[in-house]
Amino acid sequence: MENRYFQPEFETMPEKDIKALQTKKLIRQVKHVYENVPYYRNLMDEKGVKPEDIKTLDDLRKLPFLSKADLREAYPYGLLAVPLSKCVRIQSTSGTTGKRVVAFYTQNDVDMWEDCCARAIVAAGGTKGDVCHVSYGYGLFTGGAGLHGGSHKVGCLTLPMSSGNTDRQVQFMMDLGSTILCCTPSYAEFIGETLKERGIKPDENKLKAGIFGAEPWTEEMRRDIESLLGIKAYDIYGLTEISGPGVAFECEEQRGMHINEDHFIAEVIDPDTGEPLPEGSRGELVFTSLDKEAFPLIRYRTRDICVLTRGKCTCGRTFVKMTKPLGRTDDMLIIRGVNVFPSQIEAVLINQGYSPNYQIEVDRVNNTDTLDVFVELSPEHFSDTIKDVERQEQSLQSAMKTMLGIVPKVHLVAPKTIERSEGKAVRVIDKRKLHD
Ligand code: ADP
Ligand code: ZN
């Protein structure tokens, strides 16, 4: 396989050198935080741990965790580790699960983050010759800014489209010959559907690759997008708190995402006990950012569930890999006592040939949880008779029962009736929260 690296000196570093680099940076970072962030210093003092106690990577487990609740409590400046005058940027989370939090960046922090995005673009085959069409939202959301900066670093011709105005997206994509598309997978799907509606075939666009992330998506959805757009679709993961997209990215092997370990230490913990789990176990992902100057989070609990594996990758990278996070500890729905992830419902839909345009509605009626799944019919199926539609609903219900262990009520609805997302898709409406 061809080697595609942006910074091979780090991306292919032998494992023992990565560990040595991480150790050195961890010791420095803990000191920096202890001295400059009273909020975290208090947490360390409460646990009775001092910067001098951190000598090896194993000592990491002595340090206290940070969670989104801490970020909300310390909002806006409580976790800032440098004077504001040294900061050049603020970004904010999307607020998927509640109040948004903000993160600060020095110029070095922005550079490091953009390098991470550049690594992702190069891993997806990006070069100076590419037209990189960035349809993540620009603004406070990190998607647009991160991929935009990464695209510049690679030297691609950057098209700062931002999200929305799908007509214009399609027009520029075709007129300017976009070769790499960066956006959320749900928006990629929408752009793909729009091209199809216009009668533009996958081989008529110049796209070769897409870099999609910021929300969960299944392998089934990947195949769908790849065939709609005629591209290879790569996953990219990140979160504002730790920098933004590019914390981890997929290589051409497409079996897990390499975590940029020269900048971040990843751990997987048991979400209930907080105990670190051995490699290969499924648990909550926790990050320590080693180079961030302005907003250096130590042992930040992401709430994303995944598995870490270290092994030889055919791409030559040595960085540990994470599986796609197919759920967050906080998007798991508990319905009649059963744990349900939206991604499980999506997998059933796509497996049975439906589009991933769906919405889940949860409610409580007479003290019993209800689960309704609204799924769009494709235009080809829409003309089917009522009997046919009922039969399809039944068959989806029984497939979901097998997957979830409970039976939802499935409603097939007309094409284009579920609102399309230009950023992160809204998959779940939990009305139970309104009654609480
Ligand atoms: P918010 O937590 O408000 O959505 P962000 O916009 O910073 O804030 O999004 C980060 C979160 O998005 C991650 O913690 C993760 O849950 C999700 N995410 C990002 N990239 C991916 C991806 N490739 N696959 C699945 N989920 C992702
Ligand atoms: Zn690889």
Side-chain angles (χ1 to χ4, degrees), residues 336-367:
R336 284 172 244 147
V338 177
N339 299 347
V340 173
F341 284 99
S343 56
Q344 296 174 300
I345 291 179
E346 182 175 317
V348 172
L349 293 178
I350 301 190
N351 265 332
Q352 308 255 330
Y354 292 87
S355 75
N357 295 311
Y358 67 96
Q359 204 152 47
I360 299 166
E361 214 175 272
V362 188
D363 204 349
R364 187 170 294 140
V365 180
N366 298 330
N367 291 321

Side-chain angles (χ1 to χ4, degrees), residues 249-256 258 312-319 321:
F249 62 96
E250 238 176 17
C251 61
E252 64 263 29
E253 191 182 273
Q254 296 197 303
R255 254 186 274 150
H258 290 286
K312 222 168 146 40
C313 186
T314 49
C315 77
R317 283 181 188 78
T318 44
F319 291 157
K321 284 199 207 173

Side-chain angles (χ1 to χ4, degrees), residues 48-255:
V49 50
K50 294 268 173 274
E52 307 80 80
D53 299 330
I54 308 304
K55 298 189 189 78
T56 67
L57 285 183
D58 283 342
D59 293 331
L60 188 63
R61 59 170 66 208
K62 296 180 182 160
L63 291 162
F65 291 114
L66 279 171
S67 68
K68 204 135 184 166
D70 290 301
L71 268 65
R72 289 186 176 132
E73 194 180 324
Y75 173 90
Y77 300 120
L79 290 163
L80 190 63
V82 298
L84 257 190
S85 58
K86 287 211 168 148
C87 297
V88 298
R89 181 88 67 79
I90 292 179
Q91 305 274 175
S92 134
T93 59
S94 319
T96 309
T97 57
K99 187 178 155 188
R100 290 162 187 256
V101 298
V102 290
F104 300 85
Y105 304 71
T106 63
Q107 185 57 52
N108 287 338
D109 294 340
V110 172
D111 269 335
M112 181 271 283
W113 171 30
E114 291 179 352
D115 283 344
C116 290
C117 290
R119 289 177 186 179
I121 294 172
V122 173
T127 64
K128 284 187 185 8
D130 279 296
V131 179
C132 186
H133 185 121
V134 184
S135 307
Y136 283 108
Y138 279 61
L140 283 168
F141 174 53
T142 48
L147 271 305
H148 179 97
S151 169
H152 270 235
K153 289 220 169 190
V154 176
C156 303
L157 176 60
T158 310
L159 248 173
M161 294 299 301
S162 194
S163 57
N165 199 336
T166 308
D167 285 338
R168 191 175 57 197
Q169 301 275 358
V170 168
Q171 189 198 330
F172 274 32
M173 179 177 283
M174 299 307 292
D175 292 351
L176 303 176
S178 307
T179 55
I180 298 180
L181 173 64
C182 308
C183 59
T184 57
S186 46
Y187 197 42
E189 177 96 22
F190 185 23
I191 294 177
E193 282 176 349
T194 310
L195 285 170
K196 192 171 168 188
E197 270 170 27
R198 307 271 160 88
I200 303 170
K201 297 203 178 63
D203 59 3
E204 286 172 315
N205 71 57
K206 288 232 163 53
L207 291 174
K208 61 178 189 189
I211 303 176
F212 307 127
E215 64 181 358
W217 54 311
T218 52
E219 285 301 327
E220 291 81 1
M221 187 153 167
R222 187 202 307 258
R223 285 198 291 277
D224 220 37
I225 295 173
E226 287 185 334
S227 73
L228 271 172
L229 292 171
I231 58 168
K232 194 156 169 179
Y234 293 84
D235 203 352
I236 184 168
Y237 168 88
L239 61 170
T240 314
E241 298 91 314
I242 296 301
S243 60
V247 170
F249 62 96
E250 238 176 17
C251 61
E252 64 263 29
E253 191 182 273
Q254 296 197 303
R255 254 186 274 150

